[in-house]
């Protein structure tokens, strides 16, 4: 029995990766949930919006790198992120004007808007593949580790090392800043309050003089910022590949539904629920159990519940459980 | 009445044009997949067009059909059942029993049922893994370079088609039970999920279908080209009409496939049209147009939705099995949602949702476009980039032609939804 080593192994292989992944999912789910709350449809183009924003950021990053501009130990992509957000924001607002606005005016059923978002997804997916290709792109630069496994072992004298990659630390810090800004905006500013009012009761909001077009435009801009940030953080942490971003749609939707569609706080909670379940179920617990359990009780096998190939099954299983037992989600989202 | 006829004539013209300008063999290849696409589009049209159900897991149901071909038509692997096949089947039975016990416990008990159900599920899963893992190891150890799976029943391959429909129907029942009756988007998300999971199973469970090692050389319902070329009767027949025996054999094989597929398409189409024109079809459309009113008239909306969802998925499963039969191989890595799920949706929307003839037309037309956009895009981009100096940009643009088809399909979908939402052949 060696609880300290078990704790470090747990932190290294489960806690830190799950927190970083959860923050990325939460940012993605916030975008989905905002669109759902304000525009009232499930946006299936969200994964490809993330890919588009990340692509813009990568292109700017390459430009900056070729001019020799960098941030030292931080990845250059952080410097390029605002440009990526701006371009994606312009693209989304243009999409709204050319595509979505018509259906809003005609009061089309939400499912038609969802279908339209499939068309937008096709177009964005094609654009991304056309511009940057389908291959995996690693664009992280700067320092690799905040805490190195060997340094940690030397400093503490434990057998297990704890490694925190700089991309994980950056993910957590940036996501925390982004969420704090978003919640400040929604709760404290006039525009944010009008957005929440619009989401709660559209007719009442219109009667009290809120300009719906303005609310919608601001929503798309915020969604662009959230999606691009989520995509860039995920790409820095793992790597950028258009198809992976499309596949992220399932865990992101699961996170938004688990939290309650339309509830920003729920989206954040849902992101972490999904991430911790996914990492926890697909991690081989042999090492942690080997430290934590007394001799004789230790498992023979890997103690892995599901192979990592089935990580989507975890989001799906949680989604099904929520749909069966609490369709409005943990935080009582807008509708069933 | 003239409009559908004209449109079908136009699509026929496209295929004839391909036959004349390229070759009849190419035209028949596209046409065969067009028939499969048309059947898939009919399945989606039943769900969306009749009932307004939003299924974006087409890929998963089609892949289940493909799995059915492996499980039905391949020869059994010697000794696989003894080496672990029974253990695997036993483990699956234990898993299903645990699920049923959990559901029953939830229904029958009142207090403390959450705890009991959790215990049943966890214990059931651990027991399942305990029995299952040893069985899998046994099966996968058998001749892993060419086998390593359970194999199938060795039945004629056409029998796999209804089996594919059955597998897809079972999956649809599970999804429908959970996600129907909630918002329409939830069904979409759930079907998106099940499609990913079906594919994950097909890619990783080697005892089932050899995973990404692929099952190749599946039996065919039609003669092989080589056999035809070696048959004296066929060669003399071909030469009598002045054909090259090699070309003739390939075309005859494709025509045989076309005959079988067209028969299935005709049956599905006939049944779909009869169903749509029956009182049942009118009830379905009434439910789609106003669920509340239909419910007030005593129609069981949720049960009818479940019914049509299962039927539509079964049709997709049948088409998936036919597609795998046509390819003679199951390659789980080749299933892509954009190609299978969303392309079929474009077919239905463009053709005309709610109208079987429209969905069928969309299947042929969009499949032809999907195949042809790439060479056309290549040509357009070469023409556009011709004046540019050679360099990375020109090379990059020309490479990108492969991705033009996604862009084109997206634009077509958006344009149809915006300017002609009822499709080419609207619902009557």
């Amino acid at each position: 029995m060696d609880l300290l080593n078990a704790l470090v192994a747990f932190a290294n292989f489960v806690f830190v990766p799950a927190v970083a992944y959860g923050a990325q999912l939460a940012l993605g789910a916030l975008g989905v949930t905002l669109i759902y709350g304000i525009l009232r449809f499930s946006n299936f183009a969200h994964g490809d919006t993330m890919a588009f924003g990340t692509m813009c950021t990568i292109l700017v990053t390459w430009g900056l790198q070729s001019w020799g501009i960098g941030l030292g130990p931080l990845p250059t992509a952080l410097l390029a992120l605002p440009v990526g957000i701006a371009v994606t924001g312009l693209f989304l607002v243009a999409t709204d004007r050319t595509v979505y606005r018509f259906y809003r005016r005609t009061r089309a059923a939400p499912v038609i808007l969802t279908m339209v978002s499939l068309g937008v997804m096709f177009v964005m997916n094609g654009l991304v593949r056309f511009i940057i290709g389908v291959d995996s792109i690693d664009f992280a630069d700067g320092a690799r580790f905040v805490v190195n496994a060997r340094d940690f072992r030397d400093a503490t004298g434990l057998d297990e090392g704890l490694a925190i990659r700089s991309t994980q630390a950056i993910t957590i810090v940036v996501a925390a800043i982004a969420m704090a800004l978003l919640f400040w905006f929604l709760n404290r500013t006039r525009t944010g309050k009008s957005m929440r009012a619009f989401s709660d009761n559209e007719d009442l909001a219109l009667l009290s003089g809120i300009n719906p077009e303005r609310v919608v435009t601001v929503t798309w801009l915020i969604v662009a910022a959230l999606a691009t940030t989520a995509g860039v953080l995920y790409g820095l942490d793992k790597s950028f590949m258009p198809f992976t971003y499309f596949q992220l749609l399932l865990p992101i939707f699961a996170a938004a539904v688990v939290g309650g569609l339309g509830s920003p706080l729920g989206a954040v909670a849902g992101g972490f629920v999904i991430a911790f379940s996914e990492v926890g179920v697909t991690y081989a617990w042999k090492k942690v159990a080997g430290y934590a359990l007394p001799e004789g009780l230790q498992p023979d096998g890997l103690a892995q519940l599901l192979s990592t190939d089935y990580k989507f099954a975890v989001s799906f299983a949680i989604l099904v459980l929520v749909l069966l037992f609490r369709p409005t989600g943990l935080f009582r989202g807008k509708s069933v | 009445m003239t409009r559908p006829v004209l449109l079908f004539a136009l699509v026929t013209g496209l295929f004839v044009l391909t036959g004349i300008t390229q070759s009849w063999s190419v035209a028949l290849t596209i046409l065969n997949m067009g028939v499969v696409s048309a059947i898939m589009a009919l399945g989606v049209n039943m769900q969306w067009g009749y009932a307004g159900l939003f299924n974006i897991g087409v890929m998963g149901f089609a892949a289940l059909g493909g799995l059915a071909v492996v499980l039905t038509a391949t020869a059994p692997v010697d000794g696989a059942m003894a080496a672990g096949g029974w253990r695997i089947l036993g483990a699956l039975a234990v898993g299903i029993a645990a699920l049923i016990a959990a559901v029953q416990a939830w229904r029958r008990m009142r207090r403390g049922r959450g705890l009991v159900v959790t215990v049943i599920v966890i214990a059931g899963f651990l027991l399942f893994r305990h029995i299952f893992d040893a069985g899998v190891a046994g099966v996968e150890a058998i001749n892993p370079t060419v086998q390593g799976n359970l194999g199938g029943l060795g039945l004629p391959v056409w029998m796999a088609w209804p089996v594919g429909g059955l597998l897809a129907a079972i999956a649809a029942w599970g999804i429908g039970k959970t996600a129907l009756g909630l918002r329409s988007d939830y069904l979409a998300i759930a079907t998106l999920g099940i499609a990913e999971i079906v594919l994950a199973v097909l890619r990783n469970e080697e005892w089932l279908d050899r995973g990404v090692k692929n099952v190749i050389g599946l039996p065919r319902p039609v003669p092989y080209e080589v056999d035809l070329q070696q048959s004296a009767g066929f060669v003399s027949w071909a030469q009598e009409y002045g054909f090259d025996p090699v070309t003739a054999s390939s075309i005859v094989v494709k025509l045989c496939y076309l005959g079988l597929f067209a028969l299935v398409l005709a049956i599905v189409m006939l049944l779909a049209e009869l169903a749509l024109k029956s009182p049942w079809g009118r009830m379905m459309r009434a439910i789609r147009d106003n669920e509340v009113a239909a419910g007030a008239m005593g129609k069981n909306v949720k049960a009818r939705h479940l019914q049509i969802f299962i039927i539509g998925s079964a049709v997709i499963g049948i088409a998936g099995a036919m597609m795998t039969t046509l390819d003679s191989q199951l390659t789980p890595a080749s299933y892509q949602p954009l190609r299978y799920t969303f392309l079929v949706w474009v077919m239905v929307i463009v053709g005309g949702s709610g109208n079987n003839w429209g969905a069928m037309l969309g299947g042929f037309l969009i499949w032809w476009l999907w195949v042809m956009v790439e060479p056309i895009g290549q040509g357009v981009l070469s023409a556009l980039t011709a004046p540019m100096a050679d360099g990375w940009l020109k090379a990059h643009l020309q490479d990108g032609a492969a991705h033009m088809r996604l862009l084109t399909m997206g634009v077509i979908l958006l344009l149809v939804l915006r300017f002609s939402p009822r499709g080419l052949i609207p619902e009557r």
Side-chain angles (χ1 to χ4, degrees):
Chain A
M1 273 199 31
D2 188 350
L3 279 182
L4 214 54
N5 271 321
L7 208 63
V8 173
F10 171 76
N12 191 25
F13 293 110
V14 179
F15 187 76
V16 175
V19 168
Y21 182 44
Q24 291 150 8
L25 283 187
L27 286 178
L30 274 172
V32 167
T33 225
L34 278 181
I35 296 280
Y36 188 88
I38 309 281
L39 288 116
R40 299 189 163 70
F41 71 96
S42 304
N43 182 13
F44 279 90
H46 199 75
D48 286 297
T49 309
M50 282 165 60
F52 184 87
T54 314
M55 176 194 75
C56 298
T57 312
I58 290 177
L59 292 178
V60 177
T61 307
W62 284 346
L64 290 173
Q65 281 169 343
S66 68
W67 293 326
I69 304 172
L71 281 176
L74 295 173
T76 318
L78 286 185
L79 206 59
L81 183 61
V83 186
I85 290 176
V87 176
T88 314
L90 280 179
F91 187 85
L92 285 186
V93 172
T95 313
D96 181 71
R97 292 284 180 275
T98 50
V99 180
Y100 292 117
R101 183 158 71 176
F102 169 78
Y103 300 95
R104 230 176 16 253
R105 294 259 164 88
T106 55
R107 302 231 156 216
V111 70
I112 300 294
L113 275 160
T114 306
M115 186 105 40
V116 171
S117 80
L118 289 185
V120 174
M121 179 193 80
F122 256 113
V123 173
M124 285 184 118
N125 200 298
L127 271 180
V128 170
R129 287 171 187 227
F130 185 70
I131 296 176
I132 207 162
V134 291
D135 300 325
S136 173
I137 295 170
D138 193 357
F139 60 101
D141 52 3
R144 273 184 60 72
F145 289 101
V146 176
V147 178
N148 189 315
R150 185 191 290 169
D151 294 348
F152 183 85
R153 273 198 296 266
D154 291 345
T156 56
L158 291 170
D159 293 337
E160 278 300 314
L162 176 68
I164 299 179
R165 279 184 287 137
S166 46
T167 51
Q168 291 168 330
I170 289 167
T171 294
I172 294 163
V173 172
V174 171
I177 295 173
M179 287 176 207
L181 275 177
L182 176 71
F183 284 106
W184 170 80
F185 176 80
L186 286 179
N187 292 323
R188 292 275 182 270
T189 64
R190 217 179 147 71
T191 318
K193 284 178 187 166
S194 67
M195 275 173 67
R196 287 194 298 140
F198 191 84
S199 164
D200 281 344
N201 188 331
E202 189 177 340
D203 295 330
L204 212 57
L206 293 179
L207 277 178
S208 51
I210 289 173
N211 178 0
E213 286 303 310
R214 193 177 123 83
V215 167
V216 167
T217 308
V218 172
T219 308
W220 281 115
L221 290 176
I222 294 175
V223 166
L226 288 169
T228 309
T229 313
V232 169
L233 292 177
Y234 186 86
L236 282 174
D237 197 17
K238 280 136 186 149
S239 76
F240 172 77
M241 200 167 132
F243 187 63
T244 324
Y245 280 63
F246 170 79
Q247 284 190 317
L248 275 180
L249 208 53
L250 183 63
I252 284 178
F253 264 106
V257 173
V258 166
L261 269 175
S263 152
L265 208 58
V268 175
F272 286 104
V273 167
I274 296 286
F276 270 90
S277 325
E278 208 170 273
V279 177
V281 171
T282 56
Y283 173 64
W285 289 90
K286 183 177 170 60
K287 196 172 219 176
V288 175
Y291 285 119
L293 297 175
E295 296 278 333
L297 274 180
Q298 294 172 355
D300 302 322
L302 288 170
Q304 184 183 21
L305 286 173
L306 277 179
S307 94
T308 43
D309 301 309
Y310 289 114
K311 57 181 183 190
F312 293 115
V314 180
S315 341
F316 181 74
I318 297 175
L319 182 73
V320 166
L321 284 180
V322 170
L323 290 187
L324 282 177
F325 296 111
R326 204 180 163 102
T328 48
L330 298 174
F331 284 74
R332 291 273 173 231
K334 289 180 68 70
S335 73
V336 284
Chain B
M1 200 54 217
T2 50
R3 186 181 155 103
V5 175
L6 278 177
L7 284 166
F8 271 101
L10 177 82
V11 172
T12 316
L14 287 178
F15 280 95
V16 172
L17 193 71
T18 317
I20 294 170
T21 54
Q22 299 191 18
S23 80
W24 291 102
S25 186
V26 171
L28 280 175
T29 309
I30 305 175
L31 185 59
N32 277 338
M33 267 311 288
V35 177
V36 173
S37 305
I39 298 176
M40 281 192 197
L42 280 176
V44 171
N45 184 42
M46 289 174 196
Q47 296 175 340
W48 171 248
Y50 296 10
L53 300 178
F54 196 22
N55 168 12
I56 52 174
V58 178
M59 172 182 76
F61 296 112
L64 280 176
L67 175 65
V69 178
V70 172
L71 295 185
T72 315
T74 54
V77 172
D78 285 333
M81 288 314 279
W86 294 114
R87 277 190 84 105
I88 293 178
L89 293 185
L92 292 177
V94 166
I96 293 170
L99 279 183
I100 293 174
V103 171
Q104 287 302 323
W106 184 263
R107 289 219 180 119
R108 304 255 164 105
M109 291 172 67
R110 278 286 156 261
R111 292 179 63 88
R113 58 183 185 173
L115 189 68
V116 174
V117 168
T118 315
V119 169
I120 292 177
V121 168
I122 292 177
F125 181 76
L126 292 179
L127 187 62
F128 164 77
R129 281 294 299 264
H130 182 70
I131 306 176
F132 183 74
D133 288 357
V136 168
V139 171
E140 290 182 357
I142 303 172
N143 196 4
T145 46
V146 289
Q147 293 174 319
N149 64 336
L150 281 179
L153 300 173
L155 295 170
V157 70
W158 62 267
M159 288 179 75
W161 301 353
V163 175
L166 187 69
L167 285 187
I170 293 171
W173 177 81
I175 295 295
K177 270 286 186 190
T178 36
L180 284 172
L182 301 168
R183 278 186 54 91
S184 50
D185 316 36
Y186 284 5
L187 180 69
I189 300 168
T191 48
L192 183 77
I194 197 71
E196 289 294 339
I197 289 173
V198 166
L199 261 297
V201 169
L202 289 193
R203 285 188 194 122
N204 295 301
E205 299 302 317
E206 294 188 355
W207 58 271
L208 189 65
D209 66 338
R210 305 195 72 233
V212 286
K213 292 194 235 160
N214 304 337
V215 183
I216 54 170
L218 289 170
R220 283 165 48 158
V222 299
Y224 284 83
E225 287 91 343
V226 185
D227 294 342
L228 284 181
Q229 287 159 24
Q230 282 166 358
S231 128
F234 178 79
V235 172
S236 66
W237 174 83
Q239 280 165 345
E240 191 180 321
Y241 288 92
F243 296 125
D244 168 34
V246 176
T247 322
S249 68
S250 124
I251 287 185
V252 165
V253 167
K254 280 169 186 159
L255 282 175
C256 290
Y257 270 121
L258 184 62
L260 284 175
F261 287 2
L263 183 70
V264 177
L265 177 63
I267 295 172
V268 173
M269 189 71 194
L270 179 72
L271 293 177
E273 276 293 282
L274 287 178
L276 190 63
K277 296 213 162 70
S278 70
W280 180 85
R282 287 193 290 276
M283 172 181 69
M284 279 299 173
R285 293 198 283 174
I287 291 176
R288 178 196 64 191
D289 291 339
N290 193 337
E291 285 185 20
V292 179
M297 303 297 277
K299 306 299 177 198
N300 187 343
V301 174
K302 200 179 163 187
R304 294 284 83 76
H305 274 171
L306 186 62
Q307 188 184 29
I308 193 75
F309 185 64
I310 291 175
I311 296 175
S313 301
V315 170
I316 298 168
I318 293 172
M322 289 163 61
M323 190 181 68
T324 305
T325 312
L326 180 64
D327 293 342
S328 286
Q329 55 180 349
L330 180 68
T331 50
S334 68
Y335 285 86
Q336 301 291 338
L338 287 171
R339 149 72 183 85
Y340 287 93
T341 301
F342 299 109
L343 193 65
V344 177
W345 269 97
V346 177
M347 292 169 184
V348 175
I349 301 291
V350 170
S353 52
N355 188 320
N356 290 318
W357 295 101
M360 190 169 119
L361 177 86
F364 286 114
L365 176 65
I366 295 298
W367 178 250
W368 185 87
L369 273 177
W370 176 256
V371 177
M372 285 301 162
V373 158
E374 197 166 323
I376 295 172
Q378 208 105 42
V380 170
L381 276 177
S382 310
L384 284 179
T385 53
M388 287 168 62
D390 282 333
W392 70 270
L393 186 62
K394 185 172 175 178
H396 181 84
L397 284 177
Q398 286 178 351
D399 287 345
H403 310 303
M404 288 300 283
R405 39 163 67 162
L406 291 175
L407 206 64
T408 319
M409 288 304 145
V411 171
I412 291 177
L413 181 63
L414 287 177
L415 287 177
V416 170
L417 278 172
R418 173 76 165 75
F419 296 107
S420 171
R422 284 155 60 79
L424 289 174
I425 308 182
E427 183 184 354
R428 271 187 310 242

